[in-house]
Amino acid sequence: MVLNYIWIGFFLLAFIFALGETIFNGNIDIWTTIMNSSFDSAKTAFELSLGLTGVLSLWMGVMKIGEKGGMIPFFGRLVSPLFSRLFPGIPKGHPAMGAIFMNVSANMLGLDNAATPLGLKAMQHMQDLNTKKDTATDAMLMFLVLNASGLILIPIGIMTYRASCGAANPTDVFVPIMIASFISNFVGILALCLKQRINLFDRVILSWLVGIMAVIVGIVWYFSTLSADEMQRYSSFFANFLLLSVIVGFIAAGMRKKINLYDSFIEGAKDGFKTAVMIIPYLVAILVAIGMFRACGAMELITGAVSSLVDSMGFDSQWVEALPTALMKPLSGTGSRGMMVDAINTFGVDSLIARIAGCIQGSTDTTFYILAVYFGSVGITKTRYAVPFALLADVVGSIAGIAVAYFFFG
């Protein structure tokens, strides 16, 4: 229901802004711009789904091998003490636990292409336990907020963008992004635990949180001892090595169980193809609405108003130039990356604004894309309180991204 109102709101705002632009400024070309944007967005949604088909087929095929080979249940047992408390509605040893763990791990490594199919697999497992097939369960909501808040340990994509744009030190946003994303993730989990009345003082939850913080501190310390080139090389090596190790490990487990690896892969890949086709309408719906909202000029009006307000209060308003990245981040991953690259091209890759945009980009994930794809893949239409809690994590992540960027580079 919430997505329905938001979707309608995008269209109404685009129409209102275009009408105002025509009446007050005589700009009749705005209607052509908006309609062209709708066609381009629909095409982009379809092409994105096609591009996702191969990745989904690959990873859901690999996941099927891991599931039959016993690796997914193994990972489920590994994180069962924590996840059984964060996801009390999922039975211990259920395949959903392993899929959730793999999805969270892929997100932490910045491996978006791998995280999405793993997340879809987790949603399918949770839907099997759902007694109300059109309504999101508490476990689904916790999983969605974990994805929306997006704890990232190695932001490979952002560092790659910065390197391609000629940054003197492409990895200088590594530590700020890690801090900002951890704050976003922590607040998202805390808020949802309070909402779902999960005991935060449970010894297992506390020990895991302290342990994760210790790991992050250790990673930060280790990478701080490396040069910029070494940091980029080793972070990329670590992410890709771990990813390939998972694939090889799943295959080895399947061989040990003496299952037919090829047939298992094909079985999972077919599910991946079906899922990719299923999410096309949801992607078209949300991306067209966002594209029309962008094309009507509403984004520029919002940033201009915020900048004037901040200036009138006597505060530094440089960060406002990076605000489009923050506003677009919950709506479109491609759009927010475009905003980040635009900030880099406009103000320079090593400018404070470009670094703020990079920290915001890495602090959270694309909330409405995740909601549309994950809920759409299993036919969930009643999302309950998923949107406000996911947006809370987004807002906190953006504020944290701005704050740590000023602290490190301001």
Side-chain angles (χ1 to χ4, degrees):
M1 185 64 70
V2 175
L3 281 177
N4 177 58
Y5 292 138
I6 292 172
W7 186 70
I8 294 173
F10 282 136
F11 285 108
L12 291 178
L13 285 173
F15 180 81
I16 292 171
F17 272 93
L19 191 62
E21 184 71 12
T22 300
I23 294 174
F24 296 108
N25 298 323
N27 182 7
I28 61 174
D29 294 330
I30 187 69
W31 302 94
T32 301
T33 301
I34 291 176
M35 290 311 301
N36 287 341
S37 175
S38 69
F39 298 142
D40 291 340
S41 297
K43 179 181 177 182
T44 298
F46 182 72
E47 290 175 346
L48 182 62
S49 297
L50 288 180
L52 196 59
T53 301
V55 179
L56 280 171
S57 298
L58 168 64
W59 280 100
M60 294 188 81
V62 172
M63 285 291 289
K64 180 61 68 174
I65 293 175
E67 184 177 335
K68 291 187 175 181
M71 291 299 292
I72 301 302
F74 169 76
F75 285 123
R77 291 191 298 271
L78 183 66
V79 297
S80 179
L82 175 64
F83 281 7
S84 63
R85 288 161 173 81
L86 294 181
F87 301 91
I90 300 177
K92 291 184 178 181
H94 193 274
M97 289 294 188
I100 292 172
F101 174 80
M102 296 297 294
N103 167 265
V104 172
S105 299
N107 274 322
M108 291 175 71
L109 295 172
L111 303 171
D112 297 336
N113 289 338
T116 299
L118 295 170
L120 292 173
K121 189 67 176 178
M123 288 294 290
Q124 290 173 358
H125 284 309
M126 286 185 281
Q127 183 69 342
D128 292 339
L129 300 170
N130 191 2
T131 57
K132 297 180 179 180
K133 298 301 183 182
D134 64 340
T135 304
T137 64
D138 285 351
M140 289 178 177
L141 295 173
M142 177 65 76
F143 180 66
L144 263 293
V145 170
L146 281 175
N147 273 267
S149 56
L151 177 60
I152 298 178
L153 294 182
I154 306 176
I156 295 175
I158 296 172
M159 292 191 294
T160 301
Y161 274 113
R162 289 181 52 78
S164 65
C165 292
N169 182 4
T171 59
D172 58 7
V173 296
F174 173 80
V175 174
I177 287 176
M178 181 183 295
I179 295 172
S181 65
F182 175 76
I183 294 173
S184 170
N185 198 264
F186 180 80
V187 171
I189 293 176
L190 177 64
L192 207 55
C193 283
L194 292 174
K195 174 68 176 179
Q196 297 182 357
R197 298 182 180 180
I198 296 174
N199 182 15
L200 288 168
F201 297 101
D202 182 274
R203 287 184 297 177
V204 173
I205 294 178
L206 283 177
S207 62
W208 271 85
L209 290 176
V210 172
I212 292 173
M213 290 183 66
V215 170
I216 290 177
V217 171
I219 291 174
V220 170
W221 172 82
Y222 172 72
F223 277 97
S224 66
T225 64
L226 304 176
S227 67
D229 290 339
E230 289 175 331
M231 185 182 295
Q232 189 168 3
R233 286 179 56 212
Y234 289 145
S235 62
S236 179
F237 161 76
F238 175 72
N240 290 293
F241 173 79
L242 183 59
L243 185 59
L244 184 57
S245 297
V246 168
I247 296 175
V248 174
F250 279 15
I251 292 175
M255 293 175 65
R256 183 175 60 85
K257 287 277 188 176
K258 297 181 179 180
I259 65 172
N260 189 316
L261 298 178
Y262 182 78
D263 287 347
S264 298
F265 178 87
I266 295 301
E267 180 184 349
K270 287 180 179 179
D271 291 337
F273 180 82
K274 293 177 182 177
T275 301
V277 173
M278 183 183 297
I279 66 177
I280 291 177
Y282 297 92
L283 280 178
V284 171
I286 195 68
L287 290 186
V288 167
I290 292 169
M292 294 177 70
F293 180 73
R294 292 176 59 193
C296 73
M299 190 69 72
E300 290 79 2
L301 186 62
I302 293 172
T303 55
V306 173
S307 182
S308 299
L309 177 63
V310 173
D311 285 333
S312 67
M313 297 173 64
F315 295 113
D316 182 8
S317 62
Q318 288 187 76
W319 62 271
V320 178
E321 298 293 345
L323 187 59
T325 303
L327 295 175
M328 189 57 62
K329 183 61 179 179
L331 306 176
S332 168
T334 302
S336 61
R337 282 192 294 270
M339 295 296 185
M340 179 187 70
V341 173
D342 179 69
I344 290 174
N345 293 335
T346 303
F347 302 99
V349 67
D350 290 321
S351 66
L352 174 62
I353 295 171
R355 285 169 168 148
I356 292 174
C359 291
I360 292 173
Q361 175 71 11
S363 63
T364 57
D365 214 325
T366 313
T367 295
F368 289 108
Y369 172 85
I370 290 173
L371 288 172
V373 172
Y374 282 12
F375 281 146
S377 68
V378 292
I380 295 293
T381 57
K382 298 178 181 179
T383 60
R384 300 171 65 196
Y385 47 83
V387 172
F389 279 81
L391 288 179
L392 171 65
D394 282 333
V395 171
V396 170
S398 295
I399 293 174
I402 294 170
V404 295
Y406 266 100
F407 179 78
F408 280 91
F409 312 115

